[in-house]
Amino acid sequence: MPTQVLNITNVDEIKAVREAILNNEDFKLGEIKPITYMLKLDGGRFAEHHASVIDADIAKIIVSHQDNYTRLINELERNFEIEFDEEAKFLQFKLQDGCLELISDLLGLEGLKNMESKHLMYVILGISLMWFSHSAYTYNVEADLQKVKTHSEQKIREMEAAEERAADEREKEDRQRERETYQDLVNKILEKDKEVKLNKTLQNAINKPKQVTVSVLKDGENVNIDNHTLTNANEPEYNYVEPTVDDIEEDPIEGTYMLEYYNFVKDGKMFKIQGVAPLANSETISAAKRMRLMTKAETKQEVKLKIKIVKDGVTKKPIKAFILDYIEN
């Protein structure tokens, strides 16, 4: 069966390429063109606006889009394996009469053809879709993370079922390798999406043009973006949102540690372990083992422990430690 060719010439085709990646389909990229993006301003001043007239508010919208588009392109080049042609870094605006329409060609993504990493391609195309979307950045990222999790879980179940139905051992091994490769792809997508979620520059570059556009609207005026009508009441939706990221629970490790002291004040029956930044909670072991550890701590003896470290999801710094077991000889 010949490899399918997927083009990127409109928003729906961006979505189709991302679906192909999540479905583990074999494809190559064909025609890639800049995509037309339209802001349709209506009501009030814009109901019968003449394209030849550009007032301060229209200028403000145009400047915000170009400035933040430049920031978006620079951030994509800085964080992903992609380069943009110089002409792709500048927007061209076309104003039309009546219900003022600002039409621009955006995102020349030819660099994707040289990209070997499907997970990076998936995330870059997702960021591109955010530019075209009426929704705020954080909503888009959260929705995409959930989509990847839900879709991939179903796909992996299907691949596991195919493994079980394999006619012989060789086919089973081939299907297992395919599933493991796909799981690795999904893990990389999720990890990169989490990085995107934390990227303040990307969030502001996506949100600011929309925020500036709705901020200039007066009563009775609106803007249509992505087939959604927005008014100045929507402006707060595009404020910067501090990202929330789940803490990272590392796998338990066994090792030899020196106990410096036992803390009698803090909740959690805490021990200070040399080399471990946070105090270690010992409520996860028996009272008898804890008492023996307290004796060891008084004389600063080395002991063999099984511990688990929890790191902050944003800073990656240890914030919690748990003693899972005291391993006695």
Side-chain angles (χ1 to χ4, degrees):
M1 184 177 177
T3 301
Q4 64 176 325
V5 177
L6 299 177
N7 301 321
I8 300 178
T9 63
N10 57 52
V11 168
D12 286 339
E13 288 177 347
I14 289 179
K15 294 176 182 177
V17 173
R18 280 166 52 89
E19 287 294 322
I21 293 172
L22 271 192
N23 284 325
N24 201 37
E25 297 173 16
D26 189 25
F27 68 89
K28 67 178 182 179
L29 294 176
E31 185 179 21
I32 297 179
K33 290 182 177 180
I35 299 170
T36 299
Y37 176 67
M38 181 184 293
L39 294 175
K40 188 173 182 181
L41 296 155
D42 201 0
R45 293 169 291 165
F46 307 113
E48 296 182 10
H49 193 281
H50 294 290
S52 59
V53 178
I54 301 177
D55 64 13
D57 285 340
I58 299 299
K60 189 185 296 184
I61 292 171
I62 291 173
V63 169
S64 179
H65 274 77
Q66 179 59 67
D67 285 349
N68 286 288
Y69 183 69
T70 301
R71 292 188 182 95
L72 173 65
I73 294 297
N74 289 342
E75 198 67 10
L76 289 177
E77 288 188 326
R78 189 178 296 118
N79 289 280
F80 300 88
E81 299 167 5
I82 189 168
E83 291 184 8
F84 292 86
D85 294 335
E86 282 305 308
E87 58 266 27
K89 297 181 180 181
F90 298 96
L91 303 178
Q92 294 186 3
F93 293 87
K94 178 182 179 183
L95 280 65
Q96 298 187 172
D97 286 341
C99 295
L100 180 64
E101 295 174 354
L102 285 73
I103 303 171
S104 299
D105 284 340
L106 305 168
L107 294 167
L109 295 167
E110 279 289 334
L112 290 178
K113 288 185 177 179
N114 302 319
M115 181 172 286
E116 296 181 3
S117 307
K118 289 278 184 71
H119 73 282
L120 292 180
M121 186 185 298
Y122 182 91
V123 177
I124 289 172
L125 290 174
I127 293 169
S128 303
L129 288 174
M130 291 183 208
W131 179 270
F132 297 108
S133 171
H134 73 284
S135 301
Y137 181 87
T138 302
Y139 171 84
N140 281 310
V141 178
E142 292 287 3
D144 200 50
L145 279 165
Q146 189 56 52
K147 177 182 177 180
V148 174
K149 290 176 184 175
T150 303
H151 192 109
S152 62
E153 286 169 1
Q154 175 62 32
K155 185 68 180 176
I156 288 169
R157 283 195 292 270
E158 292 173 3
M159 297 173 91
E160 287 172 340
E163 252 181 82
E164 293 176 2
R165 294 193 302 268
D168 54 45
E169 197 60 35
R170 184 170 180 176
E171 183 186 353
K172 184 182 286 290
E173 289 175 0
D174 288 344
R175 291 191 177 279
Q176 181 181 353
R177 277 193 296 271
E178 182 183 14
R179 174 177 56 79
E180 290 172 350
T181 300
Y182 178 73
Q183 181 69 72
D184 182 59
L185 168 69
V186 169
N187 290 341
K188 287 178 178 177
I189 288 175
L190 291 172
E191 188 61 35
K192 202 66 183 176
D193 260 349
K194 288 176 183 176
E195 291 179 24
V196 167
K197 182 178 178 181
L198 299 175
N199 192 311
K200 185 175 183 178
T201 301
L202 281 176
Q203 180 177 162
N204 285 334
I206 297 291
N207 280 354
K208 284 297 181 183
K210 302 178 181 72
Q211 187 170 49
V212 168
T213 300
V214 297
S215 73
V216 306
L217 299 176
K218 299 177 180 178
D219 290 347
E221 298 175 348
N222 62 74
V223 61
N224 188 283
I225 303 175
D226 179 33
N227 293 318
H228 284 77
T229 300
L230 306 173
T231 69
N232 55 16
N234 296 103
E235 183 182 354
E237 297 173 15
Y238 304 106
N239 290 335
Y240 176 72
V241 176
E242 189 74 34
T244 57
V245 179
D246 293 337
D247 294 336
I248 303 166
E249 291 195 15
E250 296 197 331
D251 293 334
I253 53 175
E254 291 184 9
T256 301
Y257 302 90
M258 178 180 288
L259 297 176
E260 294 186 0
Y261 59 82
Y262 176 75
N263 188 298
F264 289 89
V265 178
K266 289 193 173 184
D267 292 337
K269 300 178 172 56
M270 301 292 201
F271 282 90
K272 178 66 179 82
I273 302 175
Q274 192 174 81
V276 177
L279 294 177
N281 189 311
S282 70
E283 289 181 327
T284 45
I285 61 175
S286 68
K289 285 192 174 184
R290 187 181 308 109
M291 291 298 293
R292 291 197 286 277
L293 282 181
M294 290 171 67
T295 301
K296 299 289 185 181
E298 287 178 1
T299 53
K300 294 184 170 53
Q301 294 184 44
E302 289 188 336
V303 293
K304 189 172 183 181
L305 300 174
K306 183 177 183 180
I307 65 174
K308 180 174 73 174
I309 304 295
V310 178
K311 293 183 177 180
D312 182 273
V314 177
T315 66
K316 304 298 190 293
K317 292 181 179 180
I319 54 173
K320 297 177 186 176
F322 296 89
I323 298 173
L324 302 183
D325 196 9
Y326 167 32
I327 304 167
E328 302 175 88
N329 295 330

